[in-house]
Amino acid sequence: MPSGPVFLVSDVHLGAVPPRTEEAFRRWLRHVGESGGRLIINGDLFDFWFEYRSVVLGEHVRVLALLADLVESGVPVLVMGGNHDWWGGSYLRQRIGVDFRRDPARIRVKGKSVLVAHGDGLGPGDLGYRILRFVLRGRVTRRLFRWIHPDLGVRIAESVSGTRAHLASGTGPATDGRTEFLSNWASDQLRRDATIDIVALGHGHLPVVTEMAPGRFYVNTGDWVLHRSYVTIDDSGTPALHEWRR
């Protein structure tokens, strides 16, 4: 297994971002393959992802192939489901080879205990969204959606997402006060559980690395819609924030 830094990224929103952003992200994935020991994609890699029985969304083929190449080369890839791509499953796990998870997870990274979660639906707030999320993720909803033609399904998802519309208007995705809430949630997790060294979130679209207490960090990987940001964790277990400029 490669022994380089661990890379964390989130909120790339492939399918909604311009082609040049996807091209830059593919270059970044090759960089990870050359120097990384592990890749963690913390939700919303895709602006929309749904696993049909015999259809793969064509616009994502090149990125999926690069992820499969990373896994084959010995770089473990963990993909967390976000609010835009929670509907991953057996295709990502079996055909691409990534470790796909829908729920927050505790993992070991460079000797540190890391709580990884995308960030949507955390805590008791935003009851309206939590109800909507429960409906959208329900088994009946997923079964019914599978019967919709993929072209129509993508159009429905785009209208619900709103990412393209925000980009067309010259603004980034609406964050609805997420930054402060997510930071407070991370701080609360670190306070409650002394065994957690790093809380790693996405969803907020604002890159942050904050040392909440000596040697204990809140990390938000930001996004690739506006920032092209990512985080690395080196052998000391210390996270560092970066922006991809190539």
Side-chain angles (χ1 to χ4, degrees):
M1 180 184 299
S3 58
V6 174
F7 289 78
L8 297 90
V9 71
S10 70
D11 297 277
V12 187
H13 288 272
L14 296 172
V17 293
R20 63 181 181 276
T21 301
E22 181 182 329
E23 292 165 5
F25 184 69
R26 294 202 305 267
R27 291 193 293 273
W28 183 80
L29 287 176
R30 296 187 187 98
H31 170 70
V32 172
E34 293 167 356
S35 58
R38 186 175 188 177
L39 172 60
I40 299 169
I41 301 175
N42 199 3
D44 287 357
L45 171 62
F46 305 108
D47 197 60
F48 168 66
W49 176 265
F50 188 85
E51 292 197 0
Y52 297 91
R53 287 193 176 91
S54 56
V55 173
V56 179
L57 299 178
E59 61 186 341
H60 301 319
V61 168
R62 297 184 71 178
V63 168
L64 291 169
L66 282 170
L67 291 176
D69 288 345
L70 282 176
V71 174
E72 287 187 1
S73 72
V75 176
V77 178
L78 169 62
V79 178
M80 304 296 293
N83 51 305
H84 287 255
D85 53 10
W86 183 87
W87 299 268
S90 59
Y91 179 85
L92 292 175
R93 294 188 184 104
Q94 297 171 15
R95 298 293 185 92
I96 305 303
V98 305
D99 178 7
F100 179 83
R101 305 192 193 188
R102 294 189 175 100
D103 299 314
R106 286 280 294 271
I107 61 175
R108 299 293 295 181
V109 173
K110 298 295 186 180
K112 302 294 183 179
S113 177
V114 182
L115 174 60
V116 184
H118 178 61
D120 64 307
L122 297 178
D126 200 354
L127 179 60
Y129 170 72
R130 292 170 70 84
I131 294 173
L132 176 63
R133 188 178 73 153
F134 176 79
V135 173
L136 292 177
R137 296 183 179 185
R139 184 174 298 177
V140 173
T141 305
R142 283 182 284 161
R143 286 181 175 176
L144 291 175
F145 195 85
R146 186 169 280 115
W147 287 96
I148 299 175
H149 190 282
D151 288 344
L152 178 58
V154 169
R155 293 187 65 180
I156 293 172
E158 287 179 354
S159 66
V160 173
S161 163
T163 305
R164 286 182 185 270
H166 285 295
L167 287 172
S169 67
T171 63
T175 57
D176 303 321
R178 296 173 192 167
T179 302
E180 182 178 1
F181 170 79
L182 292 172
S183 178
N184 290 339
W185 187 87
S187 177
D188 190 49
Q189 301 308 303
L190 290 167
R191 178 180 56 82
R192 292 184 179 189
D193 190 342
T195 68
I196 299 175
D197 299 304
I198 300 172
V199 176
L201 304 178
H203 192 55
H205 288 259
L206 184 67
V208 175
V209 171
T210 302
E211 191 169 14
M212 297 287 199
R216 306 180 74 208
F217 296 87
Y218 163 52
V219 168
N220 195 300
T221 36
D223 71 4
W224 277 58
V225 180
L226 297 175
H227 300 98
R228 297 190 186 182
S229 54
Y230 65 99
V231 168
T232 59
I233 300 177
D234 62 17
D235 288 341
S236 71
T238 303
L241 185 63
H242 310 271
E243 182 179 342
W244 182 252
R245 297 179 179 274
R246 303 183 203 174

